[in-house]
Amino acid sequence: MKSVLVVGGAGYIGSHMVLCLQQAGIHVVVLDDLSSGHKEAIENCDLVQGDLGDRALLSQLFKQYQFDAVMHFAAFIQVGESVQKPAMYYDNNVVKTLSLLDTMRDHGILNFIFSSTAAVYGEPQYTPIDVEHPKAPVNPYGRSKWMLEQILDDYDAAYGLKSTCLRYFNAAGADAKGRTGECHDPETHLIPLILQTAAGKRESISVFGRDYDTPDGTCLRDYVHVSDLCDAHLLALTHMMKTRKSARYNLGNGQGFSVQQVIEAAANVTGRKIKVVDAERREGDPARLIADATLAEKELGWQPKFADLKTIIEHAWRWEMRGE
Ligand code: UDP
Protein backbone atom coordinates (compact mmCIF):
# COMPACT_ATOMS: atom_id res chain seq x y z
CA MET A 1 0.00 0.00 0.00
CA LYS A 2 1.46 3.33 -1.02
CA SER A 3 -0.98 6.17 -0.72
CA VAL A 4 -4.11 6.95 1.31
CA LEU A 5 -6.53 9.88 1.27
CA VAL A 6 -7.56 10.85 4.80
CA VAL A 7 -10.75 12.90 4.73
CA GLY A 8 -11.00 14.91 7.94
CA GLY A 9 -7.30 14.34 8.61
CA ALA A 10 -6.87 17.64 10.44
CA GLY A 11 -9.34 16.63 13.16
CA TYR A 12 -8.86 14.77 16.42
CA ILE A 13 -8.85 11.14 15.29
CA GLY A 14 -7.85 11.98 11.70
CA SER A 15 -4.63 13.74 12.74
CA HIS A 16 -3.58 10.71 14.82
CA MET A 17 -4.36 8.54 11.79
CA VAL A 18 -2.04 10.64 9.64
CA LEU A 19 0.79 10.02 12.13
CA CYS A 20 0.05 6.29 12.17
CA LEU A 21 0.07 6.01 8.35
CA GLN A 22 3.25 8.07 8.06
CA GLN A 23 4.89 5.85 10.66
CA ALA A 24 4.05 2.88 8.40
CA GLY A 25 5.73 4.62 5.46
CA ILE A 26 2.48 5.37 3.62
CA HIS A 27 2.06 8.60 1.63
CA VAL A 28 -0.85 10.63 3.02
CA VAL A 29 -2.99 13.33 1.48
CA VAL A 30 -5.47 15.09 3.77
CA LEU A 31 -8.74 16.61 2.57
CA ASP A 32 -10.26 18.82 5.27
CA ASP A 33 -12.45 21.93 5.15
CA LEU A 34 -10.85 23.07 8.44
CA SER A 35 -14.31 23.82 9.86
CA SER A 36 -13.29 21.98 13.01
CA GLY A 37 -9.85 20.61 12.12
CA HIS A 38 -6.56 22.45 12.58
CA LYS A 39 -3.78 22.94 10.02
CA GLU A 40 -1.18 22.74 12.79
CA ALA A 41 -2.37 19.23 13.68
CA ILE A 42 -0.62 17.71 10.68
CA GLU A 43 2.85 17.89 9.23
CA ASN A 44 4.73 16.48 6.28
CA CYS A 45 1.73 15.69 4.16
CA ASP A 46 -0.28 17.37 1.43
CA LEU A 47 -3.24 19.22 2.93
CA VAL A 48 -6.02 20.12 0.54
CA GLN A 49 -8.55 22.50 2.02
CA GLY A 50 -11.97 21.70 0.60
CA ASP A 51 -15.38 20.16 0.97
CA LEU A 52 -15.90 16.42 0.82
CA GLY A 53 -19.06 17.03 -1.22
CA ASP A 54 -17.11 18.85 -3.94
CA ARG A 55 -17.05 16.24 -6.71
CA ALA A 56 -14.88 18.33 -9.05
CA LEU A 57 -12.24 18.70 -6.36
CA LEU A 58 -12.40 15.00 -5.47
CA SER A 59 -12.10 14.01 -9.13
CA GLN A 60 -9.06 16.20 -9.50
CA LEU A 61 -7.47 14.64 -6.40
CA PHE A 62 -8.20 11.11 -7.57
CA LYS A 63 -6.58 11.90 -10.95
CA GLN A 64 -3.58 13.57 -9.39
CA TYR A 65 -2.79 10.82 -6.86
CA GLN A 66 -3.02 7.04 -7.12
CA PHE A 67 -4.83 6.32 -3.86
CA ASP A 68 -5.11 2.73 -2.68
CA ALA A 69 -7.81 3.65 -0.19
CA VAL A 70 -9.84 6.41 1.43
CA MET A 71 -10.30 6.82 5.19
CA HIS A 72 -13.20 9.01 6.21
CA PHE A 73 -13.21 10.93 9.52
CA ALA A 74 -15.02 14.11 8.47
CA ALA A 75 -18.34 13.82 10.26
CA PHE A 76 -20.35 16.03 12.56
CA ILE A 77 -20.33 14.31 15.93
CA GLN A 78 -22.42 16.14 18.50
CA VAL A 79 -25.51 14.24 19.52
CA GLY A 80 -27.39 17.24 20.95
CA GLU A 81 -26.69 19.37 17.90
CA SER A 82 -27.87 16.55 15.63
CA VAL A 83 -31.26 16.66 17.34
CA GLN A 84 -31.48 20.44 16.78
CA LYS A 85 -30.08 20.43 13.23
CA PRO A 86 -30.78 17.05 11.60
CA ALA A 87 -30.61 18.51 8.08
CA MET A 88 -27.01 19.55 8.66
CA TYR A 89 -26.12 16.09 9.97
CA TYR A 90 -27.78 14.14 7.17
CA ASP A 91 -26.27 16.47 4.58
CA ASN A 92 -22.73 16.13 5.84
CA ASN A 93 -22.70 12.61 7.22
CA VAL A 94 -24.80 11.00 4.47
CA VAL A 95 -25.26 13.13 1.32
CA LYS A 96 -21.73 14.48 1.07
CA THR A 97 -20.29 11.11 1.97
CA LEU A 98 -22.23 9.66 -0.98
CA SER A 99 -20.48 12.16 -3.27
CA LEU A 100 -17.20 10.88 -1.92
CA LEU A 101 -18.17 7.24 -2.49
CA ASP A 102 -19.51 7.87 -5.98
CA THR A 103 -16.41 9.77 -7.04
CA MET A 104 -14.31 6.92 -5.65
CA ARG A 105 -16.31 4.48 -7.81
CA ASP A 106 -15.83 6.66 -10.89
CA HIS A 107 -12.09 6.40 -10.39
CA GLY A 108 -12.00 2.71 -9.47
CA ILE A 109 -10.95 3.29 -5.85
CA LEU A 110 -12.76 0.53 -4.01
CA ASN A 111 -11.30 0.49 -0.48
CA PHE A 112 -13.03 2.59 2.18
CA ILE A 113 -12.50 2.81 5.94
CA PHE A 114 -15.38 4.45 7.77
CA SER A 115 -15.48 6.00 11.27
CA SER A 116 -18.61 4.65 12.83
CA THR A 117 -19.79 4.72 16.41
CA ALA A 118 -21.33 2.82 19.30
CA ALA A 119 -24.27 5.20 18.80
CA VAL A 120 -25.52 2.87 16.02
CA TYR A 121 -26.66 0.46 18.77
CA GLY A 122 -28.82 2.94 20.69
CA GLU A 123 -29.88 1.90 24.19
CA PRO A 124 -27.95 -1.35 24.83
CA GLN A 125 -30.03 -4.49 25.19
CA TYR A 126 -27.03 -6.23 26.75
CA THR A 127 -23.38 -5.45 27.58
CA PRO A 128 -20.66 -5.85 26.53
CA ILE A 129 -21.94 -4.95 23.07
CA ASP A 130 -20.79 -7.12 20.18
CA VAL A 131 -21.13 -6.29 16.48
CA GLU A 132 -24.28 -8.40 16.17
CA HIS A 133 -26.14 -6.35 18.78
CA PRO A 134 -29.35 -4.90 17.23
CA LYS A 135 -28.89 -1.47 15.65
CA ALA A 136 -31.43 1.02 16.95
CA PRO A 137 -29.84 4.47 17.05
CA VAL A 138 -31.76 7.00 19.14
CA ASN A 139 -30.64 10.30 17.59
CA PRO A 140 -29.91 11.75 14.11
CA TYR A 141 -26.15 11.46 14.65
CA GLY A 142 -26.35 7.70 15.28
CA ARG A 143 -28.92 7.27 12.51
CA SER A 144 -26.71 9.08 10.00
CA LYS A 145 -23.85 6.68 10.76
CA TRP A 146 -26.08 3.61 10.62
CA MET A 147 -27.59 4.78 7.30
CA LEU A 148 -24.13 5.08 5.81
CA GLU A 149 -23.19 1.62 7.06
CA GLN A 150 -26.24 0.16 5.31
CA ILE A 151 -25.47 2.10 2.12
CA LEU A 152 -21.97 0.64 2.25
CA ASP A 153 -23.42 -2.89 2.30
CA ASP A 154 -25.39 -2.08 -0.86
CA TYR A 155 -22.35 -0.50 -2.52
CA ASP A 156 -20.34 -3.63 -1.86
CA ALA A 157 -23.05 -5.90 -3.29
CA ALA A 158 -23.64 -3.77 -6.39
CA TYR A 159 -20.29 -2.10 -7.09
CA GLY A 160 -17.71 -4.17 -5.23
CA LEU A 161 -16.73 -1.19 -3.08
CA LYS A 162 -15.20 -2.79 0.02
CA SER A 163 -15.58 -1.05 3.36
CA THR A 164 -14.65 -1.54 6.98
CA CYS A 165 -16.81 0.27 9.53
CA LEU A 166 -15.12 0.81 12.88
CA ARG A 167 -17.56 1.49 15.66
CA TYR A 168 -15.73 3.51 18.27
CA PHE A 169 -16.74 3.57 21.89
CA ASN A 170 -15.25 6.59 23.75
CA ALA A 171 -12.17 7.85 21.89
CA ALA A 172 -9.82 9.55 24.35
CA GLY A 173 -6.18 10.40 25.06
CA ALA A 174 -3.60 11.94 22.76
CA ASP A 175 -0.46 11.04 20.85
CA ALA A 176 2.13 9.63 23.31
CA LYS A 177 4.79 11.94 21.84
CA GLY A 178 2.56 15.00 22.23
CA ARG A 179 2.42 15.79 18.48
CA THR A 180 -1.38 16.11 18.35
CA GLY A 181 -4.42 15.79 20.62
CA GLU A 182 -8.05 16.70 21.16
CA CYS A 183 -9.13 20.26 20.28
CA HIS A 184 -12.90 20.48 19.86
CA ASP A 185 -14.73 23.79 19.93
CA PRO A 186 -17.03 23.64 21.74
CA GLU A 187 -15.61 20.77 23.76
CA THR A 188 -18.29 18.35 24.96
CA HIS A 189 -16.26 15.26 25.89
CA LEU A 190 -15.73 14.23 29.46
CA ILE A 191 -11.96 13.78 29.72
CA PRO A 192 -10.87 17.07 28.07
CA LEU A 193 -13.51 18.94 30.07
CA ILE A 194 -12.22 17.46 33.34
CA LEU A 195 -8.63 18.29 32.38
CA GLN A 196 -9.52 21.84 31.39
CA THR A 197 -11.07 22.18 34.84
CA ALA A 198 -7.89 20.79 36.44
CA ALA A 199 -5.84 23.27 34.38
CA GLY A 200 -7.95 26.18 35.67
CA LYS A 201 -9.47 26.91 32.24
CA ARG A 202 -12.93 26.01 33.48
CA GLU A 203 -14.62 26.61 36.78
CA SER A 204 -15.99 23.08 37.32
CA ILE A 205 -17.00 19.82 35.72
CA SER A 206 -20.69 18.87 35.72
CA VAL A 207 -21.64 15.27 36.38
CA PHE A 208 -24.67 14.52 34.23
CA GLY A 209 -26.75 12.35 36.56
CA ARG A 210 -25.94 10.32 39.66
CA ASP A 211 -29.07 8.19 39.64
CA TYR A 212 -28.18 5.65 36.95
CA ASP A 213 -28.36 1.94 37.58
CA THR A 214 -24.58 1.59 37.98
CA PRO A 215 -22.40 0.93 41.08
CA ASP A 216 -21.84 4.65 41.88
CA GLY A 217 -24.86 5.99 40.00
CA THR A 218 -22.86 7.69 37.21
CA CYS A 219 -22.64 6.44 33.62
CA LEU A 220 -20.13 3.79 32.58
CA ARG A 221 -18.15 4.26 29.37
CA ASP A 222 -15.42 2.32 27.58
CA TYR A 223 -12.55 4.78 26.97
CA VAL A 224 -10.19 3.75 24.20
CA HIS A 225 -6.93 5.49 23.31
CA VAL A 226 -7.06 7.38 20.03
CA SER A 227 -3.71 5.93 18.89
CA ASP A 228 -5.03 2.42 19.51
CA LEU A 229 -8.05 3.27 17.37
CA CYS A 230 -5.72 4.35 14.59
CA ASP A 231 -3.68 1.14 14.82
CA ALA A 232 -6.96 -0.73 14.31
CA HIS A 233 -7.69 1.32 11.17
CA LEU A 234 -4.39 0.41 9.59
CA LEU A 235 -4.78 -3.27 10.51
CA ALA A 236 -8.35 -3.20 9.14
CA LEU A 237 -7.26 -1.67 5.84
CA THR A 238 -4.42 -4.16 5.37
CA HIS A 239 -6.77 -7.03 6.24
CA MET A 240 -9.50 -5.82 3.90
CA MET A 241 -7.10 -5.38 1.00
CA LYS A 242 -5.91 -8.94 1.53
CA THR A 243 -9.29 -10.63 2.02
CA ARG A 244 -11.31 -8.38 -0.36
CA LYS A 245 -14.13 -8.55 2.18
CA SER A 246 -16.08 -5.78 3.89
CA ALA A 247 -16.25 -5.94 7.70
CA ARG A 248 -17.55 -4.23 10.84
CA TYR A 249 -15.74 -4.09 14.18
CA ASN A 250 -16.27 -2.59 17.62
CA LEU A 251 -13.29 -0.77 19.12
CA GLY A 252 -13.04 -0.46 22.87
CA ASN A 253 -11.13 -1.97 25.79
CA GLY A 254 -14.04 -3.97 27.17
CA GLN A 255 -13.95 -2.20 30.51
CA GLY A 256 -16.35 0.43 31.80
CA PHE A 257 -15.33 3.40 33.96
CA SER A 258 -17.88 5.64 35.62
CA VAL A 259 -17.86 9.43 35.29
CA GLN A 260 -16.93 9.57 38.98
CA GLN A 261 -14.02 7.14 38.48
CA VAL A 262 -12.71 9.19 35.56
CA ILE A 263 -12.80 12.35 37.68
CA GLU A 264 -10.91 10.59 40.48
CA ALA A 265 -8.34 9.16 38.06
CA ALA A 266 -7.82 12.64 36.58
CA ALA A 267 -7.35 14.14 40.06
CA ASN A 268 -4.63 11.53 40.72
CA VAL A 269 -2.86 12.05 37.40
CA THR A 270 -2.89 15.85 37.58
CA GLY A 271 -2.45 16.28 41.33
CA ARG A 272 -4.94 19.14 41.03
CA LYS A 273 -8.20 19.80 42.80
CA ILE A 274 -11.13 19.42 40.41
CA LYS A 275 -14.37 21.16 41.31
CA VAL A 276 -17.36 18.89 40.64
CA VAL A 277 -20.96 20.05 40.26
CA ASP A 278 -23.91 17.68 40.06
CA ALA A 279 -26.22 18.27 37.11
CA GLU A 280 -29.29 16.76 35.47
CA ARG A 281 -29.00 13.72 33.25
CA ARG A 282 -28.06 14.55 29.66
CA GLU A 283 -30.75 13.38 27.25
CA GLY A 284 -29.99 10.19 25.34
CA ASP A 285 -27.16 8.93 27.57
CA PRO A 286 -27.35 5.15 28.14
CA ALA A 287 -26.25 4.03 31.62
CA ARG A 288 -23.48 1.83 30.23
CA LEU A 289 -21.70 1.48 26.90
CA ILE A 290 -19.04 -1.21 26.94
CA ALA A 291 -17.52 -2.84 23.87
CA ASP A 292 -17.02 -6.46 23.07
CA ALA A 293 -14.09 -5.96 20.69
CA THR A 294 -13.05 -9.61 20.45
CA LEU A 295 -13.74 -9.70 16.70
CA ALA A 296 -11.13 -6.98 16.07
CA GLU A 297 -8.67 -8.80 18.31
CA LYS A 298 -9.30 -12.14 16.62
CA GLU A 299 -9.53 -11.14 12.97
CA LEU A 300 -7.20 -8.15 12.90
CA GLY A 301 -4.80 -9.11 15.70
CA TRP A 302 -5.62 -5.73 17.29
CA GLN A 303 -4.09 -5.29 20.75
CA PRO A 304 -4.51 -1.91 22.40
CA LYS A 305 -1.17 -0.57 23.66
CA PHE A 306 -2.63 2.03 26.02
CA ALA A 307 -5.56 0.18 27.53
CA ASP A 308 -5.39 1.58 31.02
CA LEU A 309 -7.31 4.70 31.95
CA LYS A 310 -4.37 6.27 33.80
CA THR A 311 -2.20 6.24 30.66
CA ILE A 312 -5.05 7.62 28.53
CA ILE A 313 -5.49 10.51 30.98
CA GLU A 314 -1.72 11.09 31.29
CA HIS A 315 -1.40 11.52 27.54
CA ALA A 316 -4.44 13.81 27.38
CA TRP A 317 -3.06 15.87 30.27
CA ARG A 318 0.34 16.28 28.60
CA TRP A 319 -1.52 17.59 25.54
CA GLU A 320 -3.72 19.88 27.62
CA MET A 321 -0.64 21.39 29.30
CA ARG A 322 1.43 21.77 26.13
CA GLY A 323 3.37 24.99 26.01
CA GLU A 324 2.76 25.72 29.72
N1 UDP B 1 -20.38 13.68 30.95
C1 UDP B 1 -20.55 14.40 32.12
N2 UDP B 1 -20.22 15.73 32.12
C2 UDP B 1 -19.74 16.38 31.03
C3 UDP B 1 -19.57 15.63 29.82
C4 UDP B 1 -19.89 14.29 29.83
O1 UDP B 1 -20.99 13.87 33.13
O2 UDP B 1 -19.50 17.58 31.09
C5 UDP B 1 -20.72 12.26 30.94
C6 UDP B 1 -21.76 11.88 29.89
O3 UDP B 1 -23.05 12.03 30.42
C7 UDP B 1 -21.39 10.42 29.60
C8 UDP B 1 -19.86 10.39 29.80
O4 UDP B 1 -19.55 11.55 30.58
O5 UDP B 1 -21.97 9.57 30.56
C9 UDP B 1 -19.09 10.45 28.50
O6 UDP B 1 -19.60 11.53 27.73
P1 UDP B 1 -18.87 12.06 26.44
O7 UDP B 1 -19.63 13.26 25.95
O8 UDP B 1 -17.41 12.25 26.72
O9 UDP B 1 -18.96 10.86 25.40
P2 UDP B 1 -20.26 10.03 24.86
O10 UDP B 1 -20.40 8.86 25.80
O11 UDP B 1 -21.42 10.95 24.82
O12 UDP B 1 -19.81 9.59 23.51
Side-chain angles (χ1 to χ4, degrees), residues 77 79 117-119 141 168-171 182 187-194 202 204-209 212 218-223 257-260 262-263 277 279-287 289:
I77 58 161
V79 169
T117 167
Y141 166 65
Y168 314 153
F169 281 63
N170 286 62
E182 196 162 5
E187 188 53 74
T188 60
H189 292 117
L190 182 67
I191 291 179
L193 288 175
I194 294 173
R202 281 174 194 270
S204 60
I205 178 76
S206 300
V207 173
F208 295 150
Y212 285 94
T218 65
C219 288
L220 297 176
R221 291 290 180 273
D222 185 340
Y223 296 91
F257 290 96
S258 73
V259 173
Q260 183 60 36
V262 176
I263 294 171
V277 172
E280 291 296 305
R281 285 183 175 203
R282 187 173 66 179
E283 213 185 316
D285 267 342
L289 279 177

Side-chain angles (χ1 to χ4, degrees), residues 78-287:
Q78 289 179 48
V79 169
E81 186 182 54
S82 80
V83 176
Q84 304 298 324
K85 301 177 182 171
M88 187 175 122
Y89 273 68
Y90 290 122
D91 183 47
N92 191 68
N93 295 4
V94 182
V95 177
K96 287 186 179 180
T97 303
L98 278 178
S99 297
L100 173 62
L101 293 174
D102 290 334
T103 320
M104 284 175 62
R105 286 203 294 126
D106 291 344
H107 291 264
I109 302 166
L110 298 175
N111 296 304
F112 188 67
I113 305 288
F114 181 58
S115 290
S116 191
T117 167
V120 300
Y121 299 112
E123 185 66 39
Q125 295 178 16
Y126 57 84
T127 52
I129 299 172
D130 56 23
V131 282
E132 302 304 331
H133 183 288
K135 300 358 164 242
V138 293
N139 51 59
Y141 166 65
R143 276 192 282 275
S144 72
K145 291 286 183 174
W146 177 228
M147 279 175 198
L148 219 284
E149 284 205 18
Q150 293 171 93
I151 290 169
L152 286 169
D153 284 339
D154 295 338
Y155 271 45
D156 184 359
Y159 312 127
L161 192 149
K162 302 296 170 195
S163 63
T164 301
C165 298
L166 297 166
R167 299 176 185 147
Y168 314 153
F169 281 63
N170 286 62
D175 174 51
K177 294 185 184 153
R179 293 167 293 182
T180 184
E182 196 162 5
C183 260
H184 293 118
D185 185 19
E187 188 53 74
T188 60
H189 292 117
L190 182 67
I191 291 179
L193 288 175
I194 294 173
L195 295 179
Q196 287 172 12
T197 310
K201 296 172 191 162
R202 281 174 194 270
E203 181 68 18
S204 60
I205 178 76
S206 300
V207 173
F208 295 150
R210 286 195 181 271
D211 55 351
Y212 285 94
D213 179 21
T214 58
D216 66 19
T218 65
C219 288
L220 297 176
R221 291 290 180 273
D222 185 340
Y223 296 91
V224 52
H225 196 291
V226 59
S227 299
D228 287 332
L229 288 181
C230 294
D231 286 350
H233 285 65
L234 184 52
L235 289 168
L237 177 57
T238 312
H239 187 258
M240 184 173 78
M241 289 179 70
K242 205 164 68 197
T243 60
R244 302 304 310 140
K245 284 203 175 103
S246 292
R248 279 82 182 102
Y249 301 101
N250 284 344
L251 298 178
N253 288 308
Q255 208 187 343
F257 290 96
S258 73
V259 173
Q260 183 60 36
Q261 284 175 315
V262 176
I263 294 171
E264 283 162 17
N268 282 332
V269 166
T270 62
R272 306 272 179 107
K273 212 166 155 32
I274 299 170
K275 187 174 174 205
V276 177
V277 172
D278 289 348
E280 291 296 305
R281 285 183 175 203
R282 187 173 66 179
E283 213 185 316
D285 267 342

